Amino acid sequence: MLDTFLQQLTNGVVIGTGYALVAVGLTLVFGILGILNFAHGELYMLGAYGILLSMDRLGFGYGLSIAVTIGAVVLVGAAMKWLVIDPLMRTNALNTLLGTFALSLLLHNGVHLTVGPAPQRIVTPFSDLVELGPVVLTEQKALVLVAGGAVLFLLALFLRWTSIGRLMRSTSQNRHAAAILGINVRAVENFTFALGMALAAIAGVLLGPLTQATPDMGASVVIKAFAVIVLGGMGSVPGAIAGGLLLGVAEALAAGYVSTAWRDGLAFFVLLAVLLVRPSGIFGVRVGR
Amino acid sequence: MISTKRALVRLAAAATLTGILIPGYSQEKSPIVLGFVTPVTSSWGKDVMRGVDLAVKQVNAAGGINQRPVKVITYDDLNKPEEGVAAVERLIARDHAKVILGSFSSSGSMAQQALTERYKKVHVLSFPQADSVRDASHPMAFFMNATVGMTMAKYLEYAAKEMKPRKVVIMADTSDYGQASADTVKRIWSKPQDPQVIAVERYDQKQADLSPQLTKIRSLAPDAVFIAGGSGEAVANVLTQMRELRVPGARLTVPGILSEGFLKVAGKSAEGLINGDFYFYDNDTPANKAFVQAFQADYKYNPSKLEMIGFESVDLAVQLLRKAGPDATDEVLARTMRETTWTTPRGTWKFVPMGKAYQAEAGFTLLTVKDGKVVKLRSADAR
């Protein structure tokens, strides 16, 4: 009984770490640029395909493939921002939202047509099993916990203690005041967008090998990531981490102890309950009407 | 310049005279259209289309039907019922297809066959496996794939006798096919002496991480886990994660899951898996040997059931139009289809009534995966 609970809890933490990795990039971009990037899931998907192609076709090792993939995804993100998002941000928020939605469809269809719809297995050197008492997990899942946790922890430190992190936080609080104080808001936005893309790619290279790479994988995960950032508080990085873990554990326990049919239902019931008690999310700032 | 003009005038005159003097020639060459509806861009659809393309190539190389070429117009239904209905409507009303072929999912087939019933068109439903589709069909519908009930009965009989599981958990996907398969297992294994189904877990085909469900199954310590899923890739994902989580028990899957795509995704998780189907590429019939030889020459691998049914559906429609005549009415085509004994790669067989429609006869062969290849289970076990 306890063994099963510990296994389900570990499953939930792994799932939640994955959600958090996807959600932090999304929430950073929202917090500083003020846009909901619907194409974030597709950049996560590109991360998974990037590692697959780097290892299978180019013959790179896993470490080098991760570096190459992150670089490539950041370049794709930069092109998206320069060609589509920047011009649309000068019009209005709705156009920008629709623009990112169009980009997500373009990326999805592009991969569908070039690589094909068939799921593809990503084989990494981390395929053995790790046993921690009654809990069994693959080395790749352990890597998600360790490397994913480290990325989230370092990101929190970076935002809290570095000068760039302080500039980002200042811009997220009030971009006009930040500009008046001499902060190069545009440079901060560009850096934030690149960081968000890098985080999406990291999520893809870590989580993709857990299952299979498919063109649809981004769409399903980004819906959960949106729920996570609402749960944690829009624009809050600690909120995205807490929200991701909460949602992952709620899903695992709901599937394990209630019914798999209720997995998403109960997880989103938790989301509703939190929002009813704290409408701005767990770490969100209360704003009066 | 002048000579070029003269040459063009002569060419135009010659072309006109050819049309006037032998008017039947151009009419004879107008193609006979067959309509094929399938999810072309999916991995299964691509497998199917290789068989379709081979059949078209062979029939046209052999002079077509009464010296008229055969053209297969294919529409991608994206595995969505509404897209499939629109495709069938186009094939009947605009393309004047003589026979409608294809159709993959059971839900899509339900919607498409309602349309062929209304237009009274011969409809060869190549892939749907749910028995209920036959029950809700019509007498001009002809089903090629074996039903879940037909293959499952033989497969479960083998599993109960040879593997002797006492406690079985079903891991079913949320599609109509997954539901139908799970219901069939529970119906067949319903007597006290049969293996007991102790739990049914569900999964979405797009759900990446199945560890919560599989942890629950592991805690139940089953003797066998029956995976009831329509998507081979999703079943491969279940098998991989079962191995990773060390879920105990024998692994059983719905018959007909083994294909090249499945093996590629499942990798070593498929090793030793016992499955079965009505078709295997080494069937010892002349029609099958010719098909496999031609397929291997073109595509460099052994065809699975998907490629075979794609080929067989077109081949059957061509045989039908040759026998009844390309200008035969739809009623005559349907009657000919029902009354004729056909020879195709699966063997020599007839359609038999099933539900409101007709079903192609099919046997059953037990298969397993050895060293990454699909092979027949030792012959003593084969039924």
Side-chain angles (χ1 to χ4, degrees):
Chain A
M1 193 70 176
L2 180 65
D3 294 359
T4 304
F5 175 76
L6 289 174
Q7 181 72 58
Q8 291 290 20
L9 196 63
T10 310
N11 296 337
V13 173
V14 173
I15 296 169
T17 306
Y19 290 159
L21 277 171
V22 180
V24 285
L26 198 61
T27 206
L28 267 177
V29 170
F30 176 78
I32 291 169
L33 282 83
I35 56 172
L36 275 175
N37 183 10
F38 272 102
H40 195 81
E42 273 59 43
L43 291 158
Y44 158 80
M45 176 263 290
L46 287 184
Y49 275 103
I51 197 98
L52 177 73
L53 295 177
S54 303
M55 293 176 74
D56 271 16
R57 305 281 161 84
L58 303 176
F60 294 164
Y62 188 43
L64 180 59
S65 296
I66 288 176
V68 169
T69 300
I70 293 171
V73 172
V74 169
L75 282 178
V76 172
M80 276 169 42
K81 186 168 185 296
W82 183 56
L83 292 170
V84 178
I85 295 173
D86 280 347
L88 290 178
M89 278 178 72
R90 287 194 283 272
T91 59
N92 62 54
L94 184 61
N95 285 352
T96 315
L97 191 75
L98 288 172
T100 64
F101 187 63
L103 284 169
S104 82
L105 292 176
L106 278 172
L107 291 172
H108 175 272
N109 291 358
V111 171
H112 192 277
L113 287 171
T114 52
V115 185
Q120 299 190 49
R121 203 157 46 102
I122 306 169
V123 181
T124 73
F126 301 98
S127 57
D128 285 342
L129 295 178
V130 178
E131 286 187 58
L132 302 166
V135 176
V136 181
L137 65 168
T138 57
E139 286 177 342
Q140 188 68 34
K141 283 190 175 177
L143 184 70
V144 169
L145 283 177
V146 175
V151 166
L152 295 172
F153 179 68
L154 290 173
L155 179 70
L157 289 184
F158 174 80
L159 293 174
R160 181 77 182 86
W161 297 107
T162 65
S163 56
I164 303 174
R166 277 194 287 276
L167 294 177
M168 288 168 70
R169 283 188 288 127
S170 308
T171 307
S172 76
Q173 282 164 14
N174 191 324
R175 69 197 310 270
H176 296 296
I180 290 166
L181 288 170
I183 294 173
N184 185 342
V185 171
R186 188 164 171 75
V188 171
E189 284 180 353
N190 287 338
F191 177 80
T192 306
F193 199 81
L195 183 61
M197 301 308 98
L199 287 164
I202 290 170
V205 299
L206 288 176
L207 301 172
L210 291 182
T211 55
Q212 302 157 354
T214 69
D216 298 331
M217 64 190 291
S220 51
V221 85
V222 84
I223 292 170
K224 293 284 173 69
F226 277 127
V228 164
I229 64 172
V230 172
L231 184 61
M234 298 287 277
S236 163
V237 169
I241 297 169
L245 291 173
L246 184 61
L247 193 67
V249 170
E251 277 188 11
L253 296 182
Y257 290 100
V258 185
S259 162
T260 45
W262 276 100
R263 175 184 158 127
D264 286 346
L266 278 183
F268 279 83
F269 176 77
V270 173
L271 172 77
L272 274 178
V274 170
L275 289 181
L276 285 170
V277 179
R278 284 186 65 90
S280 50
I282 301 169
F283 286 80
V285 179
R286 283 174 187 274
V287 179
R289 290 191 188 195
Chain B
M1 190 68 177
I2 292 168
S3 62
T4 312
K5 263 188 181 175
R6 276 182 185 164
L8 283 172
V9 169
R10 280 175 190 168
L11 200 65
T16 312
L17 276 172
T18 308
I20 293 166
L21 293 177
I22 41 173
Y25 183 80
S26 57
Q27 281 176 4
E28 275 178 14
K29 288 292 179 188
S30 67
I32 293 172
V33 174
L34 303 175
F36 207 98
V37 182
T38 196
V40 180
T41 49
S42 70
S43 56
W44 332 296
K46 285 178 179 165
D47 292 345
V48 171
M49 288 313 296
R50 289 189 199 105
V52 170
D53 292 342
L54 178 62
V56 174
K57 188 177 117 179
Q58 285 188 356
V59 68
N60 286 331
I65 300 172
N66 293 354
Q67 299 307 309
R68 288 171 65 186
V70 170
K71 181 181 177 188
V72 174
I73 297 179
T74 306
Y75 289 120
D76 190 345
D77 69 347
L78 305 168
N79 225 8
K80 293 178 182 169
E82 66 276 17
E83 295 285 344
V85 166
V88 171
E89 189 103 52
R90 276 200 300 275
L91 286 168
I92 295 172
R94 193 181 68 186
D95 304 321
H96 307 293
K98 294 296 294 180
V99 181
I100 306 299
L101 311 161
S103 186
F104 211 93
S105 71
S106 297
S107 53
S109 303
M110 286 278 206
Q112 289 176 36
Q113 68 185 8
L115 210 60
T116 51
E117 182 175 21
R118 194 191 320 151
Y119 283 101
K120 297 199 183 320
K121 292 296 289 186
V122 171
H123 193 177
V124 176
L125 294 109
S126 307
F127 299 101
Q129 288 182 277
D131 297 69
S132 57
V133 186
R134 278 80 172 163
D135 297 337
S137 193
H138 60 87
M140 292 174 84
F142 299 89
F143 288 83
M144 303 302 291
N145 206 353
T147 68
V148 176
M150 286 163 69
T151 51
M152 200 84 96
K154 289 164 183 160
Y155 180 61
L156 294 183
E157 181 195 339
Y158 168 83
K161 273 188 186 166
E162 302 294 326
M163 299 176 171
K164 298 184 174 63
R166 286 174 297 109
K167 295 188 296 177
V168 177
V169 174
I170 297 174
M171 178 78 165
D173 76 21
T174 48
S175 69
D176 51 359
Y177 179 74
Q179 182 67 52
S181 303
D183 291 345
T184 305
V185 175
K186 286 194 282 186
R187 181 171 49 76
I188 292 175
W189 281 346
S190 57
K191 293 187 282 295
Q193 68 271 25
D194 291 332
Q196 299 301 301
V197 177
I198 56 170
V200 179
E201 290 295 318
R202 307 305 299 259
Y203 70 96
D204 189 293
Q205 286 181 6
K206 289 185 177 174
Q207 188 184 335
D209 192 328
L210 305 164
S211 52
Q213 291 98 315
L214 294 175
T215 299
K216 194 173 172 184
I217 292 174
R218 193 180 72 174
S219 71
L220 296 169
D223 300 312
V225 179
F226 187 96
I227 306 162
S231 157
E233 288 87 356
V235 171
N237 188 29
V238 177
L239 286 169
T240 303
Q241 295 193 34
M242 275 178 70
R243 185 175 55 84
E244 289 171 357
L245 262 176
R246 293 187 177 165
V247 176
R251 299 154 306 153
L252 305 170
T253 61
V254 282
I257 207 82
L258 297 179
S259 68
E260 286 288 314
F262 172 82
L263 292 180
K264 208 185 259 183
V265 182
K268 58 186 174 186
S269 302
E271 203 60 26
L273 185 75
I274 293 173
N275 200 261
D277 212 332
F278 77 85
Y279 175 78
F280 189 58
Y281 75 88
D282 77 347
N283 279 358
D284 194 22
T285 63
N288 187 58
K289 280 181 178 171
F291 161 63
V292 173
Q293 195 176 11
F295 192 91
Q296 282 172 332
D298 278 12
Y299 300 111
K300 317 292 179 218
Y301 72 92
N302 293 321
S304 73
K305 180 181 72 176
L306 293 177
E307 291 90 340
M308 192 283 287
I309 294 187
F311 176 89
E312 190 184 44
S313 300
V314 175
D315 181 46
L316 182 69
V318 169
Q319 288 190 49
L320 172 69
L321 291 166
R322 279 181 179 153
K323 187 173 175 66
D327 299 320
T329 63
D330 294 312
E331 285 74 16
V332 171
L333 289 176
R335 193 172 63 241
T336 308
M337 189 75 113
R338 285 192 288 268
E339 292 173 353
T340 307
T341 299
W342 303 104
T343 298
T344 66
R346 78 173 68 195
T348 299
W349 52 275
K350 279 191 81 170
F351 280 103
V352 294
M354 182 178 279
K356 292 178 184 166
Y358 288 83
Q359 170 69 44
E361 288 175 335
F364 187 74
T365 306
L366 279 166
L367 305 168
T368 187
V369 180
K370 193 175 179 186
D371 301 327
K373 301 268 181 212
V374 181
V375 294
K376 270 186 178 171
L377 202 62
R378 59 186 193 277
S379 55
D381 290 333
R383 300 290 187 271

